Amino acid sequence: MLKNNNQAVIRKMAVRSIRSNRKKNSLYLVAIVLAVLMLFTVMQTGASYMHMQYVWRLHSVGELYDGILMGGVTKEQEETVKADPGIEVVGITEFMLGSIGEKNISIIYEDKNYREKMHQPGILRQEGRYPETADEVMVTKTLLEKRKSENFTIGDTLLLSYQKKDGTQVEKPMKITGIIDDYEETANCFVTEEVFQQAGYSQADYGCGILYYQYRFWFASDRIENRLKEELNLERKQNIQTTWDCDKVKGIFLGMIGIIMLTCLSAYLLIYNIMYLSIEDNIRYYGLLRAVGMTESQMHRLLWQKQIILSGIGILMGIVLGFLTSYLVIPGTIRVLGLRSEKMAVTIKPEFLVLTIAIMAVTVYFASRKPVRVAERISVMEALGYQTSKVVYTGKKRRTGKNIIYRLAWQQLCRMKKKTILVILSLSTSLTVFLCVVTLAGSQSKRTAELQYMNADMELTNKSMVADVSDWKQPFDDAFCEKLLKIDGVKEIHKLNYSTIVVPWEPDFSDQWMRDFYDQWMYIKYDDVREEYQQNPEHFMALVVGIDEKTFHYINQQNETAIDEKSFLAGESCLLCQQYMGYTNADVKNKKISFYFPGQETKKYSTSVAGLQKDDSPYRGPSEVSLSVAGIQEDDSPYLGPTAMGPTIMILVSDSFLEDKAESLWTYKVSVIYDEEYDKETEKKVKELIQESKDAKDITWSSKLKGIKEQKPAEQKMWQLGMGIAIVLGFIGVMNYINTELGSISGRRREIAILESIGMTGKQQSRLLLTEGMYYAGISLFLTATVGLGIDVLLFQRMNYHKVAFSIPVIPVVVMIVTLFALCIFVPLAAGRFMEGDGTLVERIRHVGE
């Protein structure tokens, strides 16, 4: 038998079928276009975000690295990091301070890896070359500008001064071999490793050697960091830091994967539904084709060619639309995700274009596979007797009554379980996405705005206290604080008062603390200054902070172990700030800290009592007051105050104790709490008081309202982005429901007509259809209120940076519920009315689905 080549005929039939069913095919195309648009935009947003992360890090630090090991690096540690499978590039630099004339500069050596792979991307322009001998130097353009040496060029000589490791001062003429202009914009000069060797320094010295590395797999950063910390045997002075928030990037990455999965699920459900209904409507047509000789394989080719043509058109349209909208959507989306840049680059990656097409093709394939299989395997007799839904009788008699409408509606949902499940899943997915969007967008400002100390509405800071002690000022004097409290709307204020103290040497606490402090932070050894500390402790600055009773209660609630209130407020105990020393409460609990205030060391007392008495005691006690350490404050504590001064020891005590003992106090912070949170009028009055102050230039402030205002643009973008996602997925879900409901009612014309012939009234018929819609709405809402709400809470907590209380915006949720029920009521009623007008009762009973 000769083979009949009918490929062209099948292709024509597929095209004709597409043209003859424009309404259903247009819905199919819309589903494909929206899904592709969503997939393409999400992927390109991810690509642009990662690119902007790269640009932002490069611009902010001037080099390109993911992690850094500070505090000196041994050769063994360097080899360990290089051998780690998660590390791709390792670079080493060495650093020491130097000067040109009277101006300080940084002298740096960079190895080849660091120079070429980490620093080079951050260089905007380079003239000349890197130094090759010990008498050559490359300088930054910033160094020449700040040192008033803009006229220096390549070949000129600089007189570079620095100190050797043994303390010897060196002045050395250096020939300029290169000038660079980079993002870092610091006064640096670059020399060869030989210069450091001649000065006696090595990469293992604290403060000199620094190791930089780049990840091979950034998503495994946590495991890499933990592995390095275990394998490197870090000393106290050494620490590992990362340059970007890998957890945040992971969260964004997982969120994008979630959106992609939701999009694919929604598109799958709609395509599956459209295909199934299309096959059911045309099943007798396919049966006639089989009757005239079309084989199963030919039917297979016909249906899949139709799918390929429609999907190809939809994917192409979605890609074109994605290109057009990317430049509008992506920049705002990246700002919502936390990156700020004047020039927001949109990165179009061809690999993501291919991935989008592949994902959509796979989704279409799996969604179409089963409906196509039903059509291609059906016989002529099966096609003639095919019913869209089949009643399954259990043999159990049911009593009739007033609940029969509800039972018939429920039976209808159970008769077409697959379609019911698909529609409910699609609606629940759309509702869950909308719920997540309104929750996250509505709390964007509060979740991301800068958190104030003690959750205050406004925080005032004494800017002068970041300078030398001799330049401190007191803008928050009693007169200012009184005016602040009298402002209508201000409920209370809390001050943090500071004073310098002297902690004399003692063998129990201060000796061990200072040894650890020098091991952690200082270039020199503690043994070199121990004798000086014993004889002149006033040369080693320490700080005491006074806090009021309410602040103490606030701290006490946050501490793992409660501190005795009575002893603290009486001045018998204190809190010790650990200065990143790694101490625990067990290390310092009940240790004694002795100190005195400057200028009071010669004060004499008439008693011989050793130790602190209560404030109302007639005895003032000895000049050195002994306090018991009650606990530790964490490194990021808001009570650390002006840490730029570099205190060796810092303690927190009761403000009443501090005011009684210290001759001079300095207020570093004032926290203001309003009668009503986010009160604009009160904040306006406080700002006016600051402006009227004679020390206004020494006061900086931040507030909840200011933080929220700064986050408003991001919140608006969050709403736009989120509602865009919700609308696309919601449209797909709604179309899924409408398509299923219309198809179901259309396929049940004869059944409903028979019910009408045996006595069902028009009102009962409407109640039946209305009840079916209510079941869809109710079950979808139940899933959203359980599973969807759980997803919403988990997502909220994942992005809840400041532990804001979880809340759901009432109005958007009410609108969502009303819209859902209106849709589920209107669609079946409208379909029923349309069906009633489709011929007489007899004609509808005779209807067999042609």
Side-chain angles (χ1 to χ4, degrees):
M1 177 182 278
L2 295 174
K3 185 176 180 180
N4 184 11
N5 187 5
N6 48 25
Q7 294 293 327
V9 175
I10 291 174
R11 193 177 301 111
K12 287 181 181 179
M13 290 178 68
V15 173
R16 191 180 301 116
S17 175
I18 292 173
R19 289 175 178 173
S20 61
N21 294 282
R22 291 182 180 178
K23 288 185 178 180
K24 288 187 178 180
N25 291 333
S26 62
L27 180 61
Y28 183 93
L29 279 176
V30 169
I32 296 289
V33 169
L34 289 178
V36 171
L37 173 62
M38 181 78 79
L39 291 175
F40 184 78
T41 304
V42 168
M43 289 187 185
Q44 297 304 332
T45 299
S48 297
Y49 177 80
M50 295 303 293
H51 175 72
M52 288 307 300
Q53 273 278 2
Y54 167 89
V55 173
W56 175 80
R57 288 162 56 209
L58 196 60
H59 287 199
S60 59
V61 297
E63 294 96 11
L64 195 62
Y65 55 87
D66 298 320
I68 179 173
L69 171 59
M70 304 178 67
V73 186
T74 65
K75 289 291 185 181
E76 292 77 12
Q77 289 174 328
E78 181 185 353
E79 293 303 319
T80 300
V81 177
K82 286 181 177 179
D84 191 285
I87 302 296
E88 185 171 13
V89 180
V90 175
I92 296 288
T93 68
E94 295 180 24
F95 166 87
M96 65 178 171
L97 288 173
S99 63
I100 297 176
E102 297 180 355
K103 302 292 185 178
N104 292 330
I105 63 167
S106 300
I107 304 175
I108 300 171
Y109 158 71
E110 300 176 340
D111 73 356
K112 185 177 180 181
N113 264 356
Y114 181 86
R115 183 169 67 251
E116 294 180 355
K117 298 181 180 179
M118 298 180 183
H119 190 188
Q120 189 64 41
I123 295 177
L124 299 171
R125 188 169 58 88
Q126 177 175 335
E127 298 177 13
R129 58 174 175 80
Y130 197 82
E132 297 176 351
T133 61
D135 59 353
E136 294 180 340
V137 64
M138 181 196 297
V139 297
T140 61
K141 182 181 178 182
T142 305
L143 183 146
L144 298 179
E145 290 173 350
K146 290 184 176 180
R147 303 303 173 259
K148 309 298 182 184
S149 303
E150 295 92 334
N151 295 329
F152 276 66
T153 60
I154 295 173
D156 292 339
T157 301
L158 287 175
L159 188 60
L160 191 63
S161 300
Y162 56 89
Q163 189 179 59
K164 289 185 175 182
K165 189 175 182 179
D166 59 10
T168 306
Q169 195 68 26
V170 175
E171 284 191 348
K172 187 176 182 180
M174 306 286 283
K175 179 183 177 182
I176 299 176
T177 61
I179 301 174
I180 63 170
D181 184 16
D182 59 7
Y183 287 117
E184 195 171 3
E185 296 184 350
T186 52
N188 296 337
C189 69
F190 303 92
V191 299
T192 62
E193 188 176 18
E194 187 180 353
V195 174
F196 281 82
Q197 292 172 348
Q198 292 173 357
Y201 295 108
S202 71
Q203 69 178 54
D205 293 328
Y206 174 71
C208 179
I210 304 174
L211 181 143
Y212 301 82
Y213 56 86
Q214 294 175 351
Y215 296 129
R216 179 174 281 112
F217 313 108
W218 64 265
F219 49 83
S221 57
D222 292 340
R223 291 197 297 271
I224 296 171
E225 299 298 329
N226 293 332
R227 188 164 61 238
L228 290 178
K229 288 176 181 179
E230 290 178 2
E231 296 177 354
L232 292 178
N233 298 318
L234 300 176
E235 298 180 0
R236 177 182 285 274
K237 291 182 177 181
Q238 294 180 305
N239 63 89
I240 293 177
Q241 299 176 5
T242 56
T243 59
W244 58 323
D245 191 346
C246 292
D247 287 337
K248 182 178 179 181
V249 175
K250 284 180 184 176
I252 293 171
F253 181 71
L254 292 175
M256 289 181 174
I257 291 178
I259 293 174
I260 290 172
M261 292 177 65
L262 285 175
T263 303
C264 290
L265 175 63
S266 299
Y268 170 86
L269 295 175
L270 182 55
I271 294 169
Y272 181 90
N273 217 354
I274 292 172
M275 281 293 296
Y276 228 114
L277 292 174
S278 177
I279 295 296
E280 287 181 344
D281 285 348
N282 295 285
I283 197 70
R284 287 171 178 79
Y285 169 70
Y286 298 135
L288 291 174
L289 290 177
R290 294 298 302 275
V292 297
M294 179 174 278
T295 64
E296 184 176 324
S297 61
Q298 290 171 339
M299 181 72 72
H300 178 89
R301 286 197 297 271
L302 171 65
L303 294 173
W304 276 114
Q305 282 193 17
K306 178 181 174 182
Q307 288 299 96
I308 290 171
I309 294 171
L310 282 173
S311 302
I313 295 172
I315 290 173
L316 180 61
M317 292 172 64
I319 292 294
V320 172
L321 191 60
F323 271 108
L324 295 176
T325 58
S326 292
Y327 291 92
L328 299 175
V329 175
I330 292 177
T333 305
I334 292 174
R335 290 188 176 95
V336 169
L337 298 177
L339 284 181
R340 302 287 183 267
S341 178
E342 294 181 0
K343 294 182 179 180
M344 196 66 68
V346 177
T347 304
I348 303 297
K349 296 276 189 179
E351 55 265 34
F352 287 121
L353 174 61
V354 175
L355 185 59
T356 300
I357 296 172
I359 291 176
M360 201 64 240
V362 171
T363 303
V364 170
Y365 171 75
F366 281 105
S368 306
R369 188 174 58 169
K370 189 169 183 180
V372 168
R373 189 182 297 126
V374 170
E376 69 188 18
R377 292 183 179 179
I378 197 163
S379 65
V380 177
M381 296 304 297
E382 287 174 333
L384 293 175
Y386 188 83
Q387 295 182 27
T388 58
S389 57
K390 299 177 182 179
V391 181
V392 180
Y393 295 99
T394 60
K396 186 177 180 180
K397 291 185 178 181
R398 301 272 184 183
R399 289 170 54 191
T400 60
K402 62 180 181 180
N403 293 326
I404 189 171
I405 296 294
Y406 300 104
R407 190 167 67 248
L408 286 174
W410 181 254
Q411 285 177 349
Q412 176 58 30
L413 265 66
C414 294
R415 285 161 59 184
M416 40 183 232
K417 291 180 182 178
K418 290 182 179 180
K419 293 180 182 177
T420 301
I421 292 172
L422 290 177
V423 171
I424 289 174
L425 280 177
S426 187
L427 287 175
S428 300
T429 299
S430 303
L431 295 176
T432 299
V433 171
F434 180 82
L435 184 63
C436 293
V437 166
V438 297
T439 303
L440 293 176
S443 62
Q444 170 76 8
S445 297
K446 295 181 181 180
R447 285 184 295 101
T448 56
E450 183 180 356
L451 189 66
Q452 305 300 317
Y453 146 65
M454 279 189 67
N455 201 27
D457 294 284
M458 195 173 193
E459 183 178 281
L460 315 182
T461 303
N462 184 351
K463 190 170 63 173
S464 71
M465 290 183 68
V466 299
D468 188 80
V469 178
S470 60
D471 296 325
W472 285 9
K473 297 178 182 179
Q474 181 58 292
F476 307 131
D477 53 17
D478 292 340
F480 179 89
C481 292
E482 284 180 16
K483 292 178 182 178
L484 186 59
L485 266 175
K486 288 180 180 178
I487 292 176
D488 186 27
V490 172
K491 181 180 180 181
E492 57 191 62
I493 65 172
H494 300 279
K495 298 191 293 182
L496 291 180
N497 292 322
Y498 286 72
S499 177
T500 55
I501 56 174
V502 179
V503 179
W505 180 89
E506 59 182 4
D508 183 27
F509 171 77
S510 61
D511 185 69
Q512 185 59 47
W513 175 274
M514 293 295 284
R515 185 175 298 279
D516 292 340
F517 181 85
Y518 270 74
D519 285 346
Q520 177 77 25
W521 298 113
M522 307 304 288
Y523 294 96
I524 59 178
K525 295 183 179 298
Y526 173 63
D527 290 335
D528 297 336
V529 299
R530 187 171 184 235
E531 185 176 349
E532 171 69 14
Y533 178 49
Q534 288 174 328
Q535 296 176 3
N536 300 295
E538 65 275 6
H539 295 167
F540 300 79
M541 187 185 69
L543 281 178
V544 61
V545 185
I547 59 175
D548 59 23
E549 186 173 346
K550 189 165 184 178
T551 305
F552 168 77
H553 290 153
Y554 181 82
I555 297 172
N556 218 12
Q557 290 175 357
Q558 296 179 328
N559 282 344
E560 295 180 1
T561 328
I563 300 165
D564 182 63
E565 179 181 354
K566 186 177 179 181
S567 64
F568 184 87
L569 297 179
E572 296 172 1
S573 62
C574 69
L575 283 168
L576 173 68
C577 296
Q578 65 172 327
Q579 310 271 65
Y580 295 93
M581 302 272 280
Y583 276 53
T584 63
N585 274 314
D587 296 329
V588 296
K589 189 77 172 177
N590 298 323
K591 296 278 186 181
K592 301 292 181 180
I593 299 178
S594 297
F595 68 93
Y596 57 83
F597 295 91
Q600 296 185 7
E601 64 272 19
T602 58
K603 184 178 290 189
K604 303 295 182 180
Y605 294 93
S606 60
T607 66
S608 61
V609 176
L612 177 69
Q613 300 299 312
K614 293 183 179 180
D615 294 333
D616 57 359
S617 171
Y619 302 102
R620 283 312 204 184
S623 59
E624 291 186 12
V625 182
S626 180
L627 299 179
S628 172
V629 176
I632 281 185
Q633 276 302 102
E634 297 298 326
D635 301 328
D636 56 356
S637 168
Y639 317 101
L640 289 182
T643 52
M645 297 179 301
T648 55
I649 298 174
M650 183 183 289
I651 59 174
L652 274 65
V653 300
S654 164
D655 61 346
S656 57
F657 167 83
L658 186 59
E659 290 171 5
D660 181 62
K661 296 295 185 291
E663 291 184 353
S664 59
L665 287 178
W666 305 90
T667 303
Y668 179 61
K669 285 184 180 179
V670 178
S671 298
V672 185
I673 298 176
Y674 305 156
D675 288 326
E676 295 182 8
E677 196 174 20
Y678 306 113
D679 189 339
K680 294 181 180 179
E681 286 300 317
T682 302
E683 184 151 313
K684 181 181 177 181
K685 294 174 185 177
V686 175
K687 289 193 289 185
E688 289 174 354
L689 177 62
I690 295 172
Q691 292 169 359
E692 294 169 1
S693 172
K694 65 181 187 302
D695 298 310
K697 60 180 174 39
D698 294 315
I699 301 175
T700 59
W701 63 274
S702 59
S703 70
K704 290 181 179 179
L705 278 173
K706 183 180 179 182
I708 288 176
K709 184 178 180 181
E710 291 171 349
Q711 291 295 325
K712 275 297 177 185
E715 183 172 315
Q716 292 171 357
K717 291 292 183 182
M718 181 78 168
W719 272 107
Q720 295 169 7
L721 171 67
M723 292 309 297
I725 295 172
I727 288 171
V728 170
L729 295 180
F731 178 83
I732 294 175
V734 168
M735 288 299 101
N736 216 342
Y737 169 70
I738 293 175
N739 204 35
T740 300
E741 192 66 13
L742 292 179
S744 172
I745 293 174
S746 177
R748 292 158 55 205
R749 289 181 192 175
R750 177 200 274 181
E751 178 185 329
I752 295 174
I754 291 173
L755 289 173
E756 186 178 346
S757 70
I758 61 175
M760 177 177 276
T761 65
K763 185 177 180 180
Q764 289 174 325
Q765 181 180 313
S766 297
R767 280 183 57 199
L768 173 64
L769 298 178
L770 176 64
T771 304
E772 290 179 16
M774 297 293 283
Y775 277 141
Y776 277 118
I779 297 172
S780 300
L781 276 179
F782 174 77
L783 287 177
T784 304
T786 52
V787 179
L789 185 60
I791 294 172
D792 188 22
V793 171
L794 289 175
L795 188 60
F796 180 89
Q797 295 301 338
R798 177 83 180 179
M799 303 178 71
N800 190 8
Y801 307 123
H802 296 320
K803 302 188 184 303
V804 174
F806 175 81
S807 63
I808 299 174
V810 177
I811 295 177
V813 172
V814 170
V815 172
M816 175 188 77
I817 294 172
V818 171
T819 303
L820 175 67
F821 276 97
L823 174 74
C824 292
I825 290 172
F826 173 76
V827 171
L829 289 181
R833 290 292 175 87
F834 177 78
M835 181 185 64
E836 288 177 4
D838 190 21
T840 64
L841 177 62
V842 175
E843 289 173 340
R844 280 185 279 135
I845 292 176
R846 292 178 58 189
H847 174 74
V848 291
E850 295 94 0

